[in-house]
Every structure is written in C-alpha cells, then in structure tokens.
Amino acid sequence: MTAYREALKEQTRERVPLAWAMTQMNLGTALWRLGEREAGTGRLEDAVTAYREALKEQTRERVPLAWAMTQVNLGAALATLGARQSGTTRLEEAVAAYRAALEERTRERVPLQWAMTQMNLGTALEMLGERESGTTHLEEAVAAYQSALEERTRDRVPLDWAMTQMNLGTALEVLGERESGTVRLEEAVAAYRAALEERTRDRVPLDWAMTQMNLGNALWKLGERESGTVRLEEAVAAWSECLAVSTFVWPPEWVRIVETRRDAAQAEIKRRSGNGSGGLQGVACSAGRARAPRRSRPGRRR
C-alpha cells in the first residue's frame, strides 16, 4: 500500500493517466484486502475512493475491459462495506457497479468472468433482499446465480459450480421462508445436495460441513410445514454430519446452535411419533444460515 502511494507521486494523472489509474486500482485492491481483515470500515472507504479515482481515466470508451474490471473491484469493496453497515445504500451501489461491469464483461466475450460477476451480483442482491420485506431482490439473486451456472459448470470448474449452487440454495431458502408453500425450500434442498456432490468431506471438509448445516436448516423448515417426520429426520442426519467436522474447528457458539437445532428436531420427531412432548417453537433457524465464501475474490484480475 505504501509502495503504491509512493508510485503515485511520480505516476501522476497529468503525466501518465492510464498508469496512474492502474496504480489507483492496485492501491484500492490492497486497501480492500486490508479492510476485509479489519473490523472497521476506514480501509474499505479508502478502497472505494481509489477505485473511483481509477475510473476517471479507465473509462469505458478508452479501455472497456479494464473499466469493467475496476467496476467489479469497486462492487466488491462496496459489498463488503454494505455487509458491515445497517442500511442498503452501499449494497445498492455494489449492485450498480456489478451491472455496469456486465455491460462489457459479456458472456460471449469473457464467459467465466461474466459468470463470476453474475455470482457476485447475486450475492449483493441477496444481501439486499435479506434486509427488505419484499422478494424482488431475492428473485433477482436467484436469476443471477442461475445465469452464473450456465458457464460455471460442474465439468469445467467443479468447486466454483458447487459454491454457486450453495449460494443459490441460500437465496432460495430465504425466499422459501417468506412464502407459504414449499417449492422454494425444495429447490434450496436440491441446490445444497448438488453442491455436496463436489463439496465432499474428503476434498473440502469445512465447506462440506457448512453445506450440511444449510441443508439441515432447509430440511427443518420443510419439516415444520409437513405433518410427517421424514424431512426432520433428514435434517437431523445433515446436522449430525456437520457436527462430525465442525465440533472440532468451529467457534463453540456456532456448534451449540447446530446442536440445539438437532436436539429440537429430535424432540419434535418423538412428539409427532407419539413418544414424547416437545416442539420446534422458539428455536431460530435463520441465524445460522451461512453464505458460501467466495473462492475467487470478486476483484481479482484474470
């Protein structure tokens, strides 16, 4: 970061405008990565400023793909800021930056970068949707994830495919919570199960455990809306799989959440089977849903 700022003393906008813009972009990326590791937002705000400076010379007309790349980086910094703030302004700005990038990062021109940008757009839309009472942004998030999967195929990029399936599942699960039927929850279960085809315990045990936890959450919600015990039993099985790994590596409070849900589901199974009393009431499920970590940083140049 210091090196980039030193470089800007000589690589001035007046002297070498495009080199100045590239250095501003690299400075922004360094600030963003620092900001991700810190609790505050100062570095992230500085990253946003640096990216916006870069865009003054990295214009769409002059360098369209570099402009799009910087828009993606700007979107990533704004989304990280938005996740830490209570309002929606930064998330809306992130969505706008990703959509701008897609004007040049087209599927025909750069298919995998297009897919990555669709995935990051979906993540920003999903965060927006979680903070709003309607479902428009969540529906748009689902559409963005599904678009990403058109190029992020299992054959081409299996772990990226699985990560996108995971994100699709979380958006569908939130939609399912807000709807009275079970269609979206069924689709969320299918997405999580698809993710587990590549997110295996042997290959990526922590991602596998996270996906098992989310699968359990969606199955539990289905079980609450149905009279039998099949879905609840499947939820218990998924959470038990999760705990086989997470017990040893997750923070204790996270482990307790999963254990509490598993125990509540087991009690409800007994109650429905006529073997005891209990229920699922009073145990919040949504608090433990986890969004898939991005394996490809949204702003990483390719």
Side-chain angles (χ1 to χ4, degrees), residues 221-286:
K221 290 165 191 172
L222 275 172
E224 287 183 299
R225 298 181 185 185
E226 299 174 352
S227 58
T229 63
V230 172
R231 294 300 196 178
L232 297 179
E233 290 167 0
E234 290 174 342
V236 168
W239 285 329
S240 296
E241 291 279 22
C242 167
L243 289 166
V245 168
S246 64
T247 299
F248 307 102
V249 291
W250 283 6
E253 59 271 22
W254 292 13
V255 173
R256 284 194 295 272
I257 289 171
V258 181
E259 289 174 337
T260 298
R261 290 177 189 160
R262 179 201 59 191
D263 295 346
Q266 288 174 327
E268 178 66 7
I269 291 167
K270 289 182 180 179
R271 187 190 69 78
R272 293 186 185 185
S273 301
N275 297 324
S277 60
L280 298 172
Q281 294 78 9
V283 183
C285 190
S286 61

Side-chain angles (χ1 to χ4, degrees), residues 17-237:
L18 286 179
W20 170 85
M22 181 58 71
T23 305
Q24 287 284 4
M25 212 272 291
N26 290 338
L27 172 62
T29 300
L31 287 162
W32 169 52
R33 288 175 179 166
L34 272 174
E36 282 189 305
R37 300 177 185 182
E38 298 174 352
T41 60
R43 301 285 196 186
L44 295 171
E45 295 282 3
D46 289 345
V48 168
T49 299
Y51 289 139
R52 285 181 168 153
E53 284 293 297
L55 287 167
K56 292 178 180 178
E57 293 294 338
Q58 280 186 336
T59 63
R60 184 178 179 184
E61 294 73 24
R62 181 186 285 175
V63 282
L65 287 179
W67 171 84
M69 176 178 65
T70 306
Q71 289 285 2
V72 169
N73 287 7
L74 174 61
L78 288 165
T80 307
L81 269 173
R84 297 184 186 181
Q85 297 174 348
S86 58
T88 61
T89 300
R90 291 304 198 179
L91 293 174
E92 290 166 354
E93 291 173 344
V95 166
Y98 289 136
R99 284 184 166 148
L102 287 167
E103 294 174 14
E104 293 294 337
R105 275 192 168 188
T106 62
R107 183 178 180 183
E108 295 71 26
R109 182 185 283 176
V110 282
L112 286 179
Q113 290 181 359
W114 171 83
M116 181 184 71
T117 309
Q118 288 284 3
M119 217 272 292
N120 292 332
L121 171 62
T123 300
L125 287 164
E126 184 181 346
M127 285 191 283
L128 262 178
E130 287 175 341
R131 296 183 185 184
E132 299 172 346
S133 58
T135 61
T136 300
H137 284 122
L138 291 170
E139 295 280 4
E140 291 174 345
V142 167
Y145 292 140
Q146 289 171 336
S147 291
L149 287 167
E150 294 174 15
E151 292 294 338
R152 278 190 160 191
T153 62
R154 184 178 180 183
D155 291 341
R156 181 186 286 176
V157 282
L159 287 179
D160 286 347
W161 171 84
M163 176 177 62
T164 309
Q165 289 283 2
M166 171 80 159
N167 282 15
L168 174 61
T170 66
L172 288 165
E173 187 182 337
V174 180
L175 272 173
E177 290 173 355
R178 299 184 184 181
E179 298 175 352
S180 58
T182 61
V183 173
R184 293 299 197 178
L185 291 175
E186 294 278 6
E187 291 174 345
V189 166
Y192 291 140
R193 285 183 166 148
L196 287 167
E197 293 174 15
E198 292 294 337
R199 280 190 160 190
T200 62
R201 183 175 178 178
D202 290 341
R203 180 188 286 177
V204 282
L206 295 182
D207 290 346
W208 174 84
M210 182 192 303
T211 310
Q212 289 285 3
M213 181 189 73
N214 286 2
L215 173 61
N217 291 350
L219 287 164
W220 183 16
K221 290 165 191 172
L222 275 172
E224 287 183 299
R225 298 181 185 185
E226 299 174 352
S227 58
T229 63
V230 172
R231 294 300 196 178
L232 297 179
E233 290 167 0
E234 290 174 342
V236 168

